[in-house]
Amino acid sequence: MKYSSVAKGVAFSLAATVMAFGATNIARAEVPSWCGPKKATLALLDGYGGNSWRQVTTASGKQTVELCPNITKYEYADGQGDTQKSISDIKSMAAKGVDALVVFGDAGPAVLPAITSVFKAGKVIVPYRVNVGGKEGTNYSKFIGSSFVDDGESWGNWIKSILPKGGNLLFLSGPAGNSQGLDELKGMKNVLGPEYVFVNQAPFAVTNWDPALTQKVLTAEIAKNAKIDVIVSDFGPSLVGALPLFSKQGKSIPALATSDGNSLGCFWNENQATNPDFKLFTVATGNDNVRLAVQWAVALATKGVPPKDEVFKAPAFENSVTGQPKAVQCRKDLPGAIYLSSELPAEDQAKAVGK
């Protein structure tokens, strides 16, 4: 269930219940079904929490926890990109007696032994988004993945709609071998034929999702490839600093198939008129993946009703060609480092990223 749906439902229920039943029933009306009757504590753990995407995601996770009054204590830890600290954080939270842990396992299988030890100690532990290996029921309580293959298929279908006869594609993803990029590539290849040529080194150009490295990689790819029809990236805002390179070389910025971000939407609005090839399609960047993971952890820890969904599906968000489901979004009054596809209100995101 989406936060906005719960919030609206709560507001309606509050108004009706105040008149009819009194305070006791108000409390009952606020509780989502995944929040059960048992009291529990919960911790959210990041392997790396230092960028705006994680800050918005962390705020979204905390907001979801707050919908369940039977979570009596909430804690957060940031591994700061240090695998050993991430492992220590997982073990420390369990040792402190926290009942349920939701883990963004940036280090992948390296954190699986710690996750497994916590699970075998009787805790609820739910890794999400990044594949850490292992099996549900053996190494952890539940894994909540994301439909990256679907993202790739969405990008592929849009590319076919604007380039029906094929073209040259440049695919940028994060660290070498990351499962997200591999799944996205699988999705694109599910719908794109051999007339669509990936000009990057297989399986994707490595950027580590770092804007500085993205600019360096994109500079090199532009120099190597005279014709790039579409850039595909799973972190759209990281492209913004590099895209002016096309204009400096007298070329139009090519079409982009990527994920959303306020900085990217505003950049498109400011530059699309002078770049005739600059079309934009985005999927939701996925901050709300954490909400589903938290709901599962809370349900298992408090004896609530688990959500029906087991995989987070990022919907299509913007399409500059059709305007469906949305035209390209831009909030110039707010920081670029927020994500308008997120359920967390834009103003709350601005506070989360400290601007």
Side-chain angles (χ1 to χ4, degrees), residues 219-235:
T219 300
E221 293 291 344
I222 292 172
K224 285 192 299 183
N225 301 286
K227 183 172 180 287
I228 298 173
D229 297 304
V230 183
I231 297 174
V232 184
S233 167
D234 47 20
F235 190 23

Side-chain angles (χ1 to χ4, degrees), residues 288-355:
D288 297 318
N289 199 160
V290 71
R291 294 182 185 275
L292 184 59
V294 166
Q295 290 168 12
W296 266 98
V298 171
L300 294 174
T302 64
K303 308 299 181 186
V305 179
K308 292 181 180 177
D309 291 336
E310 299 182 359
V311 176
F312 174 76
K313 297 178 181 176
F317 184 58
E318 300 160 306
N319 187 334
S320 70
V321 179
T322 67
Q324 298 296 325
K326 289 181 180 294
V328 178
Q329 306 290 296
C330 170
R331 285 285 305 269
K332 286 187 176 179
D333 59 318
L334 292 175
I338 65 171
Y339 307 90
L340 298 176
S341 65
S342 172
E343 288 190 40
L344 191 69
E347 289 76 9
D348 290 347
Q349 291 187 53
K351 293 176 183 176
V353 300
K355 297 178 181 176

Side-chain angles (χ1 to χ4, degrees), residues 76-330:
Y76 172 77
D78 176 9
Q80 301 174 355
D82 182 331
T83 299
Q84 292 306 312
K85 183 178 187 307
S86 299
I87 292 170
S88 176
D89 287 344
I90 293 169
K91 292 180 176 178
S92 296
M93 286 292 181
K96 287 167 62 177
V98 173
D99 300 305
L101 292 80
V102 177
V103 179
F104 197 123
D106 291 78
V111 298
L112 184 61
I115 287 173
T116 303
S117 68
V118 169
F119 175 69
K120 291 186 174 178
K123 306 292 184 182
V124 171
I125 185 159
V126 178
Y128 77 103
R129 199 163 179 88
V130 172
N131 188 349
V132 296
K135 294 182 179 178
E136 179 180 320
T138 299
N139 303 95
Y140 38 77
S141 309
K142 191 75 182 174
F143 173 71
I144 301 299
S146 184
S147 58
F148 297 123
V149 174
D150 290 347
D151 292 348
E153 291 181 349
S154 295
W155 293 332
N157 286 324
W158 182 76
I159 290 168
K160 286 176 72 174
S161 73
I162 63 167
L163 287 172
K165 296 182 180 178
N168 288 350
L169 315 180
L170 171 62
F171 179 31
L172 310 175
S173 185
N178 79 83
S179 60
Q180 177 176 343
L182 294 174
D183 283 349
E184 291 160 347
L185 181 61
K186 179 181 178 182
M188 284 189 279
K189 290 191 171 182
N190 284 346
V191 297
L192 297 174
E195 65 274 27
Y196 296 92
V197 178
F198 288 91
V199 299
N200 51 274
Q201 183 176 353
F204 48 74
V206 172
T207 69
N208 293 342
W209 296 308
D210 174 8
L213 181 56
T214 299
Q215 183 165 352
K216 184 177 179 181
V217 169
L218 190 52
T219 300
E221 293 291 344
I222 292 172
K224 285 192 299 183
N225 301 286
K227 183 172 180 287
I228 298 173
D229 297 304
V230 183
I231 297 174
V232 184
S233 167
D234 47 20
F235 190 23
S238 70
L239 298 171
V240 169
L243 292 176
L245 292 170
F246 287 95
S247 300
K248 289 178 181 177
Q249 295 190 5
K251 300 178 180 178
S252 171
I253 297 171
L256 302 185
T258 184
S259 60
D260 79 291
N262 194 37
S263 60
L264 179 61
C266 292
F267 181 87
W268 182 87
N269 275 284
E270 293 165 359
N271 292 276
Q272 54 89 21
T274 55
N275 288 272
D277 299 329
F278 190 13
K279 302 177 178 68
L280 179 63
F281 174 82
T282 66
V283 296
T285 190
N287 304 99
D288 297 318
N289 199 160
V290 71
R291 294 182 185 275
L292 184 59
V294 166
Q295 290 168 12
W296 266 98
V298 171
L300 294 174
T302 64
K303 308 299 181 186
V305 179
K308 292 181 180 177
D309 291 336
E310 299 182 359
V311 176
F312 174 76
K313 297 178 181 176
F317 184 58
E318 300 160 306
N319 187 334
S320 70
V321 179
T322 67
Q324 298 296 325
K326 289 181 180 294
V328 178
Q329 306 290 296
C330 170

